[in-house]
């Protein structure tokens, strides 16, 4: 059975003062905490086996989400000290992992089809699949390109497009086994250590995607949600 691993241990510094009293995953959109919306979305897609890594105000998160019921289970991974966005995964190495693990940050709301993501991962025999989305950057100046003081071109107000990490991953269980126990490591560093040896693919997201890391983003998402729900 596929495991969904939700990382909910962060301090939510960028959302202060909101997160002085409540942990970031419990910040509400509509009338629901973000993490509840996320769990419900996974359940609607047929995923019923959850692990949630918690650290900051962990008892609040447990109280809000509970432990599931006869239809689905939620287990909590307690971080004694922050382990980064990949380190906490080492705590499920001894669990009876059968299939790939979907890993997602707790502050993400998205309409991506998780079954499609899993299918892409399997069909391409990927070891790690990283969801990416397009990010455009407008440079409001003329970019001067030169070599040895000699200007080759002035590129006026260029628009640069990048693919950026969307905070959603699929990992094969053998990859999770590579994590050192209780060692702090973030997902980008962990993935960078494996890109040469393993098959690491990107999965572009074109659906709605919001990382509720900052107040500005939260206000925007709340507006969207009040329109659509």
């Amino acid at each position: 059975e596929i495991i969904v691993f939700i990382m909910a241990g962060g301090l939510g510094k960028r959302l202060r003062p909101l997160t002085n009293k409540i942990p970031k995953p419990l910040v509400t959109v509509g009338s629901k905490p973000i993490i509840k919306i996320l769990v419900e979305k996974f359940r609607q897609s047929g995923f019923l086996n959850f692990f949630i890594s918690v650290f900051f105000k962990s008892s609040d998160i447990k109280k809000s989400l509970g432990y599931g019921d006869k239809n689905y289970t939620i287990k909590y991974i307690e971080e004694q000290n922050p382990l980064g966005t990949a380190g906490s995964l080492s705590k499920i190495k001894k669990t009876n992992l059968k299939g790939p693990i979907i890993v997602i940050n707790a502050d993400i709301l998205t309409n991506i089809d998780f079954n499609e993501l899993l299918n892409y991962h399997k069909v391409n025999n990927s070891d790690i699949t990283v969801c990416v989305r397009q990010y455009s950057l407008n440079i409001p100046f003329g970019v001067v390109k030169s070599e040895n003081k000699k200007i080759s071109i002035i590129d006026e107000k260029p628009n640069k497009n990048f693919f950026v990490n969307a905070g959603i991953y699929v990992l094969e269980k053998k990859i999770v086994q590579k994590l050192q126990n209780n060692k702090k490591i973030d997902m980008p560093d962990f993935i960078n250590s494996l890109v040469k040896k393993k098959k690491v693919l990107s999965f572009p997201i074109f659906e709605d995607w919001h990382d509720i890391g900052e107040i500005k983003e939260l206000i925007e998402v709340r507006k969207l949600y009040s329109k659509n729900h």
Side-chain angles (χ1 to χ4, degrees), residues 177-220:
Q177 304 294 350
K178 290 186 176 301
L179 281 160
Q180 286 178 35
N181 290 341
N182 286 324
K183 181 174 186 268
K184 185 176 182 185
I185 185 167
D186 282 324
M187 205 53 114
D189 296 327
F190 180 51
I191 291 169
N192 284 339
S193 73
L194 295 166
V195 282
K196 288 196 171 70
K197 300 182 276 267
K198 298 289 171 195
K199 192 170 184 184
V200 183
L201 299 182
S202 63
F203 178 84
I205 293 179
F206 300 106
E207 293 85 354
D208 246 13
W209 178 95
H210 303 277
D211 161 8
I212 303 168
E214 303 201 348
I215 298 283
K216 188 178 82 198
E217 190 72 37
L218 178 63
I219 292 165
E220 220 169 279

Side-chain angles (χ1 to χ4, degrees), residues 59-91:
S59 56
D60 294 359
I61 295 174
K62 289 177 179 175
K63 216 175 284 170
S64 172
L65 276 183
Y67 293 83
D69 56 26
K70 62 181 191 304
N71 300 316
Y72 72 105
T73 58
I74 295 179
K75 294 183 181 129
Y76 294 93
I77 300 291
E78 292 271 4
E79 295 183 30
Q80 306 315 308
N81 44 345
L83 289 172
T85 51
S88 51
L89 265 174
S90 69
K91 290 185 177 277

Side-chain angles (χ1 to χ4, degrees), residues 10-228:
L11 296 173
K13 285 180 186 167
R14 292 176 302 155
L15 275 180
R16 284 178 183 161
L18 257 184
T19 47
N20 287 340
K21 297 226 166 62
I22 57 166
K24 183 162 67 166
L26 294 187
V27 169
T28 54
V29 168
S31 56
K32 275 186 197 155
I34 304 166
I35 196 165
K36 260 196 176 159
I37 297 171
L38 198 54
V39 168
E40 280 172 15
K41 180 160 170 48
F42 274 109
R43 285 182 59 202
Q44 284 159 6
S45 305
F47 300 95
L48 305 171
N49 197 355
F50 298 89
F51 279 90
I52 298 175
S53 68
V54 288
F55 172 66
F56 179 61
K57 294 191 180 294
S58 58
S59 56
D60 294 359
I61 295 174
K62 289 177 179 175
K63 216 175 284 170
S64 172
L65 276 183
Y67 293 83
D69 56 26
K70 62 181 191 304
N71 300 316
Y72 72 105
T73 58
I74 295 179
K75 294 183 181 129
Y76 294 93
I77 300 291
E78 292 271 4
E79 295 183 30
Q80 306 315 308
N81 44 345
L83 289 172
T85 51
S88 51
L89 265 174
S90 69
K91 290 185 177 277
I92 65 165
K93 277 177 17 176
K94 294 185 174 67
T95 313
N96 187 12
L97 300 176
K98 293 210 168 63
I101 298 110
I102 297 177
V103 182
I104 187 166
N105 295 343
D107 56 356
I108 286 172
L109 288 184
T110 177
N111 287 333
I112 159 183
D113 181 335
F114 292 111
N115 284 302
E116 195 188 316
L117 165 63
L118 260 183
N119 194 39
Y120 174 91
H121 176 84
K122 285 177 183 162
V123 166
N124 291 292
N125 287 322
S126 179
D127 291 317
I128 304 174
T129 301
V130 181
C131 290
V132 297
R133 58 183 205 95
Q134 210 165 26
Y135 183 81
S136 293
L137 188 63
N138 281 93
I139 299 173
F141 305 101
V143 175
V144 177
K145 294 180 183 170
S146 61
E147 214 172 299
N148 298 333
K149 300 193 183 74
K150 191 175 183 314
I151 291 178
S152 56
I153 194 165
I154 299 176
D155 194 0
E156 190 57 32
K157 299 189 178 65
N159 191 12
K160 302 285 182 198
N161 287 312
F162 305 93
F163 274 118
V164 297
N165 183 355
I168 308 168
Y169 315 87
V170 183
L171 285 83
E172 282 299 304
K173 58 182 182 186
K174 64 179 182 195
I175 298 295
V176 173
Q177 304 294 350
K178 290 186 176 301
L179 281 160
Q180 286 178 35
N181 290 341
N182 286 324
K183 181 174 186 268
K184 185 176 182 185
I185 185 167
D186 282 324
M187 205 53 114
D189 296 327
F190 180 51
I191 291 169
N192 284 339
S193 73
L194 295 166
V195 282
K196 288 196 171 70
K197 300 182 276 267
K198 298 289 171 195
K199 192 170 184 184
V200 183
L201 299 182
S202 63
F203 178 84
I205 293 179
F206 300 106
E207 293 85 354
D208 246 13
W209 178 95
H210 303 277
D211 161 8
I212 303 168
E214 303 201 348
I215 298 283
K216 188 178 82 198
E217 190 72 37
L218 178 63
I219 292 165
E220 220 169 279
V221 171
R222 279 178 169 168
K223 266 191 215 144
L224 276 174
Y225 252 66
S226 60
K227 264 188 217 152
N228 299 336

